[in-house]
Amino acid sequence: MSDTQKTIFKKIIDREIPAKIVYEDELCLAFHDVSPQAPTHILVIPKIEIRSLVEIKKSDKELLGHLLVVTSEIAAKLGVSSAGYRVVVNTGQNGGQSVPHLHFHILAGRALTWPPG
Ligand code: 5GP
């Protein structure tokens, strides 16, 4: 993939654009959403480029489990676990996905309504 085709999240992984990073390990990165939809809004992304849940394979099982464990740990670290939070994975056009790099949204800090829009 050439530089011009890089997603905004790949550019964040490669440190070509800044982000407020809250967690990083060899498999994933987590940072504040630039346009927060709740008082706490974090994005957790794998470092490998998977476009969406549509592309997930059985071999990604361990990575996906890791992303959820990290999500839970970040929520605890940010102090939002006891009040609760929402994890969202927008997928494809109808799912409202705007960045084609798999990501988990962590939304917290206010009571979230259901159903979503
Ligand atoms: P999606 O709509 O694909 O589920 O979520 C993409 C998210 O990425 C949006 O909530 C959007 O605000 C966030 N986002 C887009 N560009 C940037 C950026 O340059 N930096 C950060 N930190 N977040 C971004």
Side-chain angles (χ1 to χ4, degrees), residues 8-9 12 31-35 43 90 96-99 103 105:
I8 200 87
F9 291 173
I12 288 173
F31 50 88
H32 287 270
D33 195 295
V34 77
S35 177
L43 300 169
N90 294 328
Q97 183 177 5
S98 61
V99 179
H103 50 283
H105 295 258

